[in-house]
């Protein structure tokens, strides 16, 4: 299988030499039957656990009834999902646009902001990540050089610095676009006070606030959305990743005042009944099992178990079950050794080991993760 992918795949991803064939909860198996504790979760996707039975059943049931139905028709499953999304979102977000990925959600958010304000300037953060299509990439700090020229009007400021942000906003600014925790950029939570100042700045200047909750959304940080953890409400919010239990799906949630760009934006697959059924089952599972509280409790538990005094560690940053261990050396070798020890983790920049386990991970699994990391980092010395 590795040879086949190497032969036919387009070499975009830095690969790891295992063939994942099965998952359950926070456990993954490879084709040789080896077992792994998954702290990657499909890059923050499998929050309700791999092969979640409720999601699998919802997808199977819906697939036998209706798989596809474009947005030009009404659909029962889609209507129920939209109602559910609005019920768990911050109260001011009352409108939903459904799409198929995080990048596409950001793309939609940028277009809605432009059409609502008649302006085309955006300010986002250094180290921020919002996707790789030409629009989303224009708002992303990294991975851009090879693809320039990108869309003009995007500027970048240091994260968590309200003075620099205030200076960057001008009469052409449509929106400020930020993550609540910079995920790809190294697991860097926004300061609560900073986000509140950003909200006040937007209100004062008549600029929209777009929060990208693609990685932080759906219970990861201890609330359904990270902005609820931070006590602010955006004008536009993007979501994806964990939203449909692993089924590809994205969403843009908007205030009533945001223009829908009627007839000027759309997606063939966006809001298809299969994805909507998966998302309903995922959200119900999250609510029934209070995964928000689980994320907080388990994140704090893992933090306490990790040896923060290890001389290999510069800093550990955490919000809920989103943890970044910043090392004094490169993170890749540690991530490789973790895999040899049957734990799958992610990088977030060159020196950060990122842990985004399924929120259903058990205490025993977290113990094993912490013990292994502590041991490997001691051996590193
Ligand atoms: N925005 C954020 C904050 C992300 O973390 C990601 C993916 O990692 C994206 C956007 C892009 O999402 P997708 O890969 O689903 O297109």
């Amino acid at each position: 299988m590795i040879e086949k992918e190497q032969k036919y795949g387009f070499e975009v991803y830095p690969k790891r030499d295992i063939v994942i064939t099965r998952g359950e909860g926070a456990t993954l198996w490879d084709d040789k039957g080896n077992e792994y504790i998954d702290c990657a979760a499909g890059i923050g996707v499998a929050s309700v656990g791999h092969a979640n039975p409720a999601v699998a059943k919802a997808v199977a049931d819906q697939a036998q009834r209706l798989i596809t139905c474009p947005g030009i028709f009404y659909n029962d499953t889609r209507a129920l999902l939209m109602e559910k999304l609005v019920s768990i979102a911050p109260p001011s977000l009352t409108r939903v646009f459904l799409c198929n990925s995080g990048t596409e959600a950001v793309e939609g958010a940028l277009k809605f902001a432009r059409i609502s304000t008649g302006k085309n300037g955006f300010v986002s953060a250094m180290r921020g990540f919002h996707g790789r299509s030409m629009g989303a990439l224009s708002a992303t700090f990294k991975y851009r050089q090879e693809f320039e020229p990108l869309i003009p009007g995007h500027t970048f400021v240091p994260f968590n610095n309200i003075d620099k942000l205030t200076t960057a906003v001008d009469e052409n600014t449509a929106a400020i676009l930020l993550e609540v925790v910079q995920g790809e950029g190294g697991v860097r939570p926004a300061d609560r006070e900073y986000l509140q100042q950003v909200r006040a700045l937007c209100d004062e200047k008549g600029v929209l606030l777009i929060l990208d909750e693609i990685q932080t959304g759906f219970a990861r940080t201890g609330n359904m959305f990270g902005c609820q953890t931070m006590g602010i409400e955006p004008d536009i919010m993007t979501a994806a990743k964990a939203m449909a239990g692993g089924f590809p799906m994205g969403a843009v949630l908007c205030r009533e005042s945001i223009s829908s760009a009627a007839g000027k934006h759309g997606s063939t697959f966006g809001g298809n009944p299969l994805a909507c059924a998966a998302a309903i089952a995922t959200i119900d599972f999250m609510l029934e099992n209070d995964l928000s509280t689980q994320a907080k409790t388990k994140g704090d538990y893992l933090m306490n178990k990790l040896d923060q005094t290890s001389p290999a560690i510069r800093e550990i940053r955490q919000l809920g079950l989103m943890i970044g261990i910043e090392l004094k050396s490169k993170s890749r070798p540690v991530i490789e050794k973790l895999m040899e020890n049957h734990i799958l983790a992610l990088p977030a920049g060159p020196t950060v080991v990122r842990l985004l386990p399924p929120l259903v991970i058990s205490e025993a699994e977290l113990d094993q993760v912490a013990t292994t990391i502590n041991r490997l980092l001691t051996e590193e010395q």
Side-chain angles (χ1 to χ4, degrees), residues 101-103 129-131 179 184 212 214-215 241:
S101 70
T103 298
F129 182 83
H130 302 289
E179 292 159 272
E184 303 297 310
D212 180 343
I214 287 161
Q215 202 161 132
K241 285 201 186 277

Side-chain angles (χ1 to χ4, degrees), residues 43 45 100-106 128-133 136 140 178-185 212-216 238-241 249-250 322 354 356:
I43 318 189
V45 169
N100 311 290
S101 70
T103 298
E104 224 186 298
V106 170
F129 182 83
H130 302 289
R132 299 169 194 267
S133 61
T140 291
L178 295 171
E179 292 159 272
V180 175
V181 180
Q182 292 190 316
E184 303 297 310
D212 180 343
E213 293 256 18
I214 287 161
Q215 202 161 132
T216 48
T238 57
K241 285 201 186 277
M249 188 167 218
M322 198 169 174
R354 179 173 37 153
L356 295 175

Side-chain angles (χ1 to χ4, degrees), residues 340-355:
E340 287 163 22
N341 284 272
H342 298 265
I343 291 169
L344 302 178
L346 294 163
T351 56
V352 177
V353 177
R354 179 173 37 153
L355 306 175

Side-chain angles (χ1 to χ4, degrees), residues 69-72 78 97-100 104 265-272:
C69 175
I72 56 170
R78 187 191 306 132
F97 172 76
L98 295 170
C99 52
N100 311 290
E104 224 186 298
H265 190 60
S267 157
T268 300
F269 291 130
N272 71 80

Side-chain angles (χ1 to χ4, degrees), residues 1 19 43 86 125 165-166 175 204-205 212 251 254 283 285 292 312 315 328 344-345 374:
M1 294 306 155
V19 181
I43 318 189
V86 168
L165 183 62
T166 307
E204 188 198 320
K205 305 265 183 184
D212 180 343
C254 299
I283 296 166
F285 183 91
S292 295
E315 186 182 40
K328 291 180 183 160
L344 302 178
N374 291 342

Side-chain angles (χ1 to χ4, degrees), residues 142-179:
K142 282 210 299 181
Y143 312 116
R144 37 190 300 123
Q145 227 171 357
E146 296 78 356
F147 302 104
E148 285 173 340
L150 291 165
I151 296 171
H154 288 262
T155 50
F156 298 92
V157 291
F159 196 48
N160 275 333
N161 182 328
I162 191 66
D163 293 338
K164 290 274 198 300
L165 183 62
T166 307
T167 311
V169 169
D170 62 22
E171 63 286 349
N172 190 40
T173 307
I176 294 169
L177 167 61
L178 295 171
E179 292 159 272

